[in-house]
Amino acid sequence: MNDFPPSDRPVPAWFTDAKFGIFVHWGAYSVPAWAEPTGALGMVDPDVWFKHNPYAEWYWNTIQIEGSPAQEHHRTVHDGRPYDDFLDAWKAELFDPAEWVELFARAGARYIVPTTKHHDGIALWNAPGTGTRNTVHRGPRRDLIADLAEAVRARDLRFGLYYSGGIDWYAGRRDPVLHEDRMDEGRPHEAAYAAYAHRQVLDLIDQYHPAVLWNDMGWPRAGQADLPKLFSHYYATVPEGVVNDRWDNAHADYLTSEYELDRANEQAAYWENTRGIGFSFGYNQAEGPEHLLGPADAVRLLVDVVSRGGNLLLNVGPKADGTLPQEQRAVLEGMASWMACHAGAVHATRPLEPGAAEPHDGDPWVRWTRDEHHVYAFVADVTDEAVGHVVLKTRPGMLDPDTAERMDGRPVEAEAGPEGIHVTSGGLDTPLPTAIRFAAR
């Protein structure tokens, strides 16, 4: 067997066609479920970020930073108790994986990626080397990964796995991370931890055959030489699997961006943007409506990402009892209602060729996708003065206006003009985009 995956290995069609996945951040941090909702990653001053970290899944790190509001919250609300007490308090008593997955599928997700071990080192399966510090022996007392894998595959979706390889605050203990410029000081690079992480990822591959192998925070330097065989083993086990880019440049099938960070990666041939519905990945009870995407925001984010050739991995953060927060459910239900009509303009589509048509922000909001048979124009936010009439700026002759119709087949009045296609249709003044379909030429 070749020790290293070839650089020209084709990315499987299922991934490029999927367009939308659901990330799930669930752990002991879902018990305190608290962080300051300071802002989106990439939009907050790096000198402020860690002391005022909006990521609830970073709770254990943030409470160790002197003078942080999270430290004061932990002292006053939780009496400064040891972090692992939250593992025992995490019961997942209302967890219904089939109900989760049914909602995810209706919202249009084609793949699901739960966390198996986040930076706190607590495993959601009976991970080798963890002893009893996992959800099989403590807290929920069940293999949460196996339960989700069964539910996801029963719904005929792809099942991926997240693993924090580069940071482990338990097995690879370090001082708290205080600043991104000193991030590497918080990462374990020694051989013992490299072997520990390698053994766990092998176990995940062999037990669960994940369609996506989603590593985070890099990989220990002492284990870099072992990655070629790890990847080769993965591809032999899961021939249609894909690997993300967070392995310290060792290998990647696709690149990632997170909120507003690493947006340059979105110029790659294959890429994925990830973010939470709020500013956190783990459930954060301190977030209010002003911090969260609404259904229209989430739909427009998805359409924008897909129109530029990417996938969206949108995160949910369940509560400790296993229920999805109502605010997050409302977003997914809104996406489900929209996708019931518009999925055909999203899944298995591609961006238009450069110069074919112009996207637009504001009045109106316009994005474009296409497949083998159709071109799709997504339109929203047409102002009251122009309700029902919008000019879609396209290359002359690119579209046949006589073929314009909504996704349900209702015809739309359209005619060619010097600036593009003039479309007249009701309902284009809403923040939720309406897709208008044209026969491809």
Side-chain angles (χ1 to χ4, degrees):
M1 182 185 298
N2 189 343
D3 280 348
F4 199 78
S7 59
D8 60 351
R9 176 183 181 268
V11 173
W14 78 259
F15 183 76
T16 57
D17 289 347
K19 302 306 177 189
F20 184 34
I22 294 289
F23 222 176
V24 182
H25 276 62
W26 196 26
Y29 46 81
S30 305
V31 176
W34 195 91
E36 289 181 86
T38 45
L41 180 65
M43 300 297 288
V44 177
D45 186 335
D47 293 331
V48 171
W49 178 264
F50 285 100
K51 189 173 182 178
H52 303 272
N53 198 328
Y55 284 3
E57 66 275 15
W58 277 70
Y59 187 79
W60 195 8
N61 187 81
T62 315
I63 62 176
Q64 296 177 74
I65 299 177
E66 289 299 323
S68 70
Q71 185 180 70
E72 178 63 15
H73 173 86
H74 187 63
R75 183 186 67 79
T76 58
V77 176
H78 299 290
D79 298 321
R81 69 181 60 180
Y83 180 81
D84 272 26
D85 283 4
F86 296 127
L87 171 56
D88 296 313
W90 176 24
K91 299 302 183 183
E93 66 273 19
L94 300 179
F95 175 42
D96 183 346
E99 192 274 335
W100 280 16
V101 173
E102 180 60 30
L103 175 58
F104 300 160
R106 287 194 296 107
R110 294 287 181 85
Y111 60 107
I112 315 298
V113 183
T115 52
T116 65
K117 183 202 78 167
H118 206 266
H119 310 335
D120 61 7
I122 294 171
L124 278 66
W125 88 108
N126 194 20
T130 58
T132 62
R133 197 174 182 268
N134 58 62
T135 63
V136 174
H137 293 94
R138 292 170 64 182
R141 295 188 179 274
R142 59 196 286 188
D143 185 333
L144 300 173
I145 300 305
D147 291 345
L148 267 172
E150 181 180 4
V152 169
R153 288 173 172 141
R155 195 57 173 75
D156 201 27
L157 304 179
R158 302 278 179 159
F159 184 66
L161 294 175
Y162 166 105
Y163 183 83
S164 176
I167 288 184
D168 188 313
W169 296 320
Y170 186 83
R173 191 66 197 158
R174 291 293 187 278
D175 291 334
V177 179
L178 302 176
H179 196 282
E180 66 176 24
D181 291 343
R182 301 178 63 184
M183 181 76 77
D184 200 57
E185 296 176 13
R187 296 175 53 195
H189 287 294
E190 65 273 10
Y193 175 71
Y196 175 87
H198 186 272
R199 183 183 175 197
Q200 290 185 353
V201 172
L202 274 178
D203 190 60
L204 289 171
I205 293 169
D206 291 340
Q207 281 207 60
Y208 306 108
H209 295 195
V212 182
L213 193 59
W214 214 105
N215 186 59
D216 201 11
M217 308 304 295
W219 196 254
R221 280 192 289 272
Q224 287 285 324
D226 297 322
L227 285 179
K229 286 187 177 180
L230 178 69
F231 294 138
S232 291
H233 176 71
Y234 172 62
Y235 291 127
T237 306
V238 190
E240 287 200 319
V242 291
V243 172
N244 77 334
D245 59 339
R246 301 190 181 190
W247 305 80
D248 286 333
N249 300 314
H251 172 68
D253 289 310
Y254 67 95
L255 305 188
T256 60
S257 57
E258 186 170 327
Y259 287 88
E260 301 302 319
L261 193 68
D262 293 327
R263 287 291 182 145
N265 287 347
E266 297 177 2
Q267 304 303 312
Y270 306 102
W271 58 275
E272 175 188 75
N273 175 250
T274 186
R275 62 156 292 158
I277 289 175
F279 295 143
S280 176
F281 285 91
Y283 172 54
N284 182 10
Q285 59 185 319
E287 289 183 333
E290 69 274 19
H291 307 120
L292 305 174
L293 297 175
D297 300 317
V299 166
R300 285 159 70 137
L301 173 63
L302 172 63
V303 171
D304 176 67
V305 166
V306 172
S307 75
R308 294 183 290 114
N311 285 13
L312 174 65
L313 186 62
L314 184 65
N315 181 80
V316 297
K319 294 182 177 181
D321 65 4
T323 60
L324 297 175
Q326 187 55 44
E327 301 85 356
Q328 297 182 28
R329 292 189 67 91
V331 171
L332 296 181
E333 290 287 3
M335 297 184 80
S337 295
W338 185 86
M339 280 292 237
C341 179
H342 291 91
V346 174
H347 295 134
T349 63
R350 300 291 182 266
L352 270 62
E353 61 272 20
E358 294 183 15
H360 194 269
D361 290 311
D363 171 27
W365 187 90
V366 179
R367 294 294 187 274
W368 298 86
T369 62
R370 71 169 298 143
D371 58 26
E372 185 177 351
H373 302 291
H374 296 99
V375 173
Y376 305 94
F378 296 87
V379 183
D381 287 350
V382 177
T383 60
D384 290 343
E385 291 79 12
V387 167
H389 181 240
V390 63
V391 178
L392 302 175
K393 297 183 178 180
T394 65
R395 188 175 58 215
M398 189 188 85
L399 301 177
D400 180 356
D402 293 338
T403 65
E405 60 182 6
R406 289 175 179 261
M407 295 297 292
D408 60 6
R410 286 182 293 160
V412 171
E413 183 180 339
E415 60 181 18
E419 310 100 327
I421 302 295
H422 292 249
V423 168
T424 302
S425 180
L428 303 182
D429 56 333
T430 65
L432 273 169
T434 296
I436 299 170
R437 177 171 59 196
F438 298 85
R441 281 182 165 173

